[in-house]
Amino acid sequence: MSGQSTGCGFLMSVVVHGDSALNEQEKELNQRLRRLYPAVNENETPLPRSWSPKDKFSYIGLSQNNLRVHYKGHGKTPKDAASVRATHPIPAACGVYYFEVKIISKGRDGYMGIGLSAQGVNMNRLPGWDKHSYGYHGDDGHSFCSSGTGQPYGPTFTTGDVIGCCVNLINNTCFYTKNGHSLGIAFTDLPPNLYPTVGLQTPGEVVDANFGQHPFVFDIEDYMREWRTKIQAQIDRFPIGEREGEWQSMIQKMVASYLVHHSYCATAEAFAKSTDQAVHEELASIKNRQKIQKLVLSGRMGEAIETTQQLYPNLLERNPDLLFMLKVRQFIEMVNGTDSEVRCLGGRSPKSQDSYPGSPRTFSSPSHKASSSQPYLTGFDSNCCNGVTSNKSHSSSSPHSHKPCPPSSGTALQGSDISLNGSRSQQPITSNDVDMEVDHFTNGVTESSSNGFLNGTSKHATEPDDCDADMEVESAQSKRQLCGGSQAAIERMIHFGRELQSMSEHLRRECGKNSANKKMLKDAFSLLAYSDPWSSPVGYQLDAVQREPVCSTLNSAILETHNLPKQPPLAQAVGQAAQCLAIMARTGIGSCAFASVDDYLH
């Protein structure tokens, strides 16, 4: 019996280690493909990752995750040739695409072809023999371009050789490599949407494909850098002519409006003065928006809602969906322990969720992988108010108001709490502009101490108390607790959740069904289904970076009340450029791969 048990344990260990190795390989493949082809959106145009078990001739056998190809036909005549295509065509957004094939065995005669073919090309042939098919053959070193007659091209290849195939989607050419050395251009005027293809013809022939699963023998990244430089030089040479002054003035206006939009008061003023421009929003109004943004970005949603209602009466009443989104975010911050309501009840939030750098907003909200839907709490009372407050009350969630907690040893408002160590948000601090403004709070601390730590490095001599506080925070991170660990805070959070459920039902009755609101609430409530919400499939909601789109939406709504654009022109221009690149990719213009907007912004 013990022997059987030992055997089962060994098999389970093998399976577990095997799965772990496969996961690591998949991770390595994903990382390499993202580095090589950053412009490709695989949701729209997946990259080839293996040979297709469906798109092949019957004499082809596949193994090793459909990367190894072996011949299993008779191999007596050319009619016994067999090919296989990759799972997907090469996306134009690659710009330059590359794969390699290692010859494991040349078999009887080494009648092997490596190349490309369009969908629908006969698979009972070697690549290159038919229209829209292209191949380099090992037995004679000839290249075949949609013809049964080959042209002298390169050396023959045999067992142990590694043959690479590079498709340039900018000039529509193809070249091959042998053991890491380029053999020169083989084909020109290639059509779009070609598939990597390999063909075999005699018994014993076996080849392995590398679509990025392993480092390539040929330095394809150096070739890509050459083409990136060419495309960027082409962009730089674009003729401006006599309109340079006009363009310069337009860009300055766009930058100024961007700074005003994101409430960078001091920088906006300084920039306007240096470029002789007028700021089209009152300074007090900009600072009001800045104050609200800081509250949202530091997780203090209750105070952000209350401040919005004080400064912009009726705004949230006129936008019930916006108010609902803010309330859902407040619930999430309660779970996180960062909202003022639960802080004031004695909870201490994990500092990793408490800090958020006062950096400029990016032009597009960070995307986060949506997780599968999880069951949410039911049985909430529906006899509470819907959360929409009147002009007479500024409370963001009855019956409690949102008075800031006084700094004390039991709160997370100490200056030592602004270190970014351990933060799950990966956004770097890229501007200190917010810190130039006074009399506001940033990430739960006053401006005078807001830059005590930058990226984990102290700017000033560290006091012993600060060290103790950091040690305490690190301990807190390893023991994150719901609502900061306070029972009273948990009860308040549950009560708030009931109010939120009631608000959702009221909105559905008054405005009809809203799938976005339903999913938002469901995902938020799902956090309570897990003992450790931060590590759960819906834990991404607790990441400080998720405050960003909420902050942007609220800021845009406030700007609309001043008849100012919801999005700054600079963001619209960048978004338009990104859309143009996406359209180029869909229409097969490969140069879009090396024209990233980010390259010019940085």
Side-chain angles (χ1 to χ4, degrees), residues 347-373:
R348 182 180 180 90
S349 64
K351 195 186 70 172
S352 63
Q353 297 301 316
D354 206 27
S355 300
Y356 195 91
S359 59
R361 254 64 72 200
T362 51
F363 295 120
S364 59
S365 299
S367 59
H368 284 265
K369 192 176 181 180
S371 59
S372 57
S373 299

Side-chain angles (χ1 to χ4, degrees), residues 9-28:
F10 172 75
L11 287 175
M12 287 181 67
S13 175
V14 169
V15 170
V16 168
H17 286 299
D19 288 344
S20 176
L22 284 175
N23 289 338
E24 283 300 315
Q25 289 175 4
E26 188 70 19
K27 183 179 178 182
E28 183 182 349

Side-chain angles (χ1 to χ4, degrees), residues 387-437:
V388 180
T389 59
S390 66
N391 291 338
K392 296 178 182 179
S393 172
H394 296 277
S395 172
S396 66
S397 56
S398 62
H400 297 278
S401 63
H402 297 282
K403 296 177 182 178
C405 304
S408 67
S409 59
T411 69
L413 297 180
Q414 301 302 312
S416 61
D417 267 318
I418 60 171
S419 168
L420 298 180
N421 292 341
S423 172
R424 288 174 60 189
S425 169
Q426 298 300 311
Q427 293 209 5
I429 294 180
T430 54
S431 170
N432 297 330
D433 185 61
V434 173
D435 300 322
M436 296 167 65
E437 315 306 327

Side-chain angles (χ1 to χ4, degrees), residues 127-167:
W129 285 353
D130 298 302
K131 187 177 181 181
H132 295 152
S133 180
Y134 310 85
Y136 168 35
H137 293 196
D139 60 306
D140 56 12
H142 287 188
S143 64
F144 291 76
C145 179
S146 303
S147 169
T149 304
Q151 301 294 324
Y153 170 65
T156 61
F157 52 87
T158 186
T159 302
D161 288 330
V162 176
I163 303 302
C165 178
C166 178
V167 182

Side-chain angles (χ1 to χ4, degrees), residues 22-61:
L22 284 175
N23 289 338
E24 283 300 315
Q25 289 175 4
E26 188 70 19
K27 183 179 178 182
E28 183 182 349
L29 171 62
N30 290 334
Q31 289 175 343
R32 185 170 288 110
L33 293 182
R34 277 196 297 269
R35 187 178 72 248
L36 289 172
Y37 316 114
V40 173
N41 178 358
E42 287 207 76
N43 291 326
E44 293 185 3
T45 53
L47 288 160
R49 290 169 177 252
S50 64
W51 301 115
S52 172
K54 298 178 181 178
D55 196 5
K56 67 180 184 67
F57 192 64
S58 58
Y59 289 171
I60 290 289

Side-chain angles (χ1 to χ4, degrees), residues 433-502:
D433 185 61
V434 173
D435 300 322
M436 296 167 65
E437 315 306 327
V438 295
D439 298 326
H440 292 302
F441 282 91
T442 300
N443 301 336
V445 295
T446 57
E447 292 296 340
S448 60
S449 61
S450 63
N451 255 348
F453 287 84
L454 284 178
N455 297 330
T457 304
S458 174
K459 285 170 52 179
H460 311 291
T462 305
E463 297 296 331
D465 289 345
D466 293 336
C467 296
D468 293 341
D470 276 348
M471 290 174 66
E472 183 180 342
V473 164
E474 289 177 9
S475 175
Q477 289 174 9
S478 62
K479 298 179 181 179
R480 293 176 295 196
Q481 294 177 301
L482 202 66
C483 302
S486 164
Q487 183 61 37
I490 292 174
E491 290 175 3
R492 174 64 197 128
M493 179 266 295
I494 294 295
H495 181 71
F496 186 87
R498 291 177 179 141
E499 294 175 350
L500 202 53
Q501 177 71 23
S502 177

Side-chain angles (χ1 to χ4, degrees), residues 154-207:
T156 61
F157 52 87
T158 186
T159 302
D161 288 330
V162 176
I163 303 302
C165 178
C166 178
V167 182
N168 186 320
L169 296 120
I170 301 169
N171 62 10
N172 300 318
T173 63
C174 169
F175 71 85
Y176 288 88
T177 67
K178 179 180 178 182
N179 300 328
H181 300 285
S182 174
L183 302 178
I185 298 294
F187 309 114
T188 59
D189 301 319
L190 293 175
N193 300 315
L194 294 176
Y195 290 71
T197 307
V198 68
L200 309 175
Q201 190 180 310
T202 62
E205 294 171 353
V206 182
V207 299

